[in-house]
Amino acid sequence: MRGSSPNQNQGNLFYTPLKQLLNPGHPLYLLSEEIDWPGLESKLSVHYSSKGRPAHSIRLMAGLLILKQLDNLGDETVVSKWVENPYYQYFCGVDIFQWNFPIDPSDLVFFRKRIGE
């Protein structure tokens, strides 16, 4: 089953959205604005079933794979850097900074197999 991004449109009194904290001139910020994320999700959603446990969001998984390639990282390293780097999180569609690992690194292996990489 295809996962969805959490609804992060509701304001929170205690948290500032990443978009307001980050430098809009940063390369990852700019790249995230250029990618057609809805189009990418539409193309990759054919690899998902409507049954079963919901998967992680396509933007998160595809974003992590893109970051992995851009920085020449391993699966474990890109997931670890995601926790430390707000630009990584913004690139992957997160609105508020997260302190926990978004996925287990082995989930990237399953995602690559799912999309036939």
Side-chain angles (χ1 to χ4, degrees):
M1 175 183 274
R2 191 177 113 205
S4 60
S5 297
N7 180 4
Q8 299 178 1
N9 294 332
Q10 182 177 1
N12 188 318
L13 180 63
F14 302 107
Y15 299 104
T16 304
L18 278 175
K19 190 169 191 155
Q20 293 179 8
L21 297 173
L22 301 178
N23 174 4
H26 189 278
L28 285 179
Y29 187 102
L30 294 170
L31 181 60
S32 72
E33 299 294 319
E34 291 296 319
I35 294 175
D36 177 19
W37 294 108
L40 183 64
E41 285 194 19
S42 175
K43 287 184 189 264
L44 294 179
S45 66
V46 300
H47 299 286
Y48 287 81
S49 170
S50 60
K51 300 176 184 173
R53 188 176 122 211
H56 299 290
S57 76
I58 292 174
R59 178 163 180 180
L60 171 66
M61 301 303 287
L64 285 169
L65 287 180
I66 292 168
L67 291 168
K68 178 183 177 216
Q69 292 297 320
L70 286 174
D71 292 339
N72 195 26
L73 303 172
D75 292 347
E76 295 84 8
T77 308
V78 75
V79 172
S80 294
K81 283 188 72 163
W82 186 93
V83 174
E84 301 169 358
N85 192 330
Y87 289 99
Y88 271 34
Q89 293 187 22
Y90 181 75
F91 185 80
C92 292
V94 173
D95 188 40
I96 296 174
F97 188 79
Q98 305 292 308
W99 296 277
N100 298 319
F101 291 110
I103 62 167
D104 185 272
S106 64
D107 291 337
L108 289 172
V109 174
F110 297 118
F111 183 72
R112 284 191 296 268
K113 286 181 182 177
R114 178 185 301 257
I115 62 171
E117 182 181 279

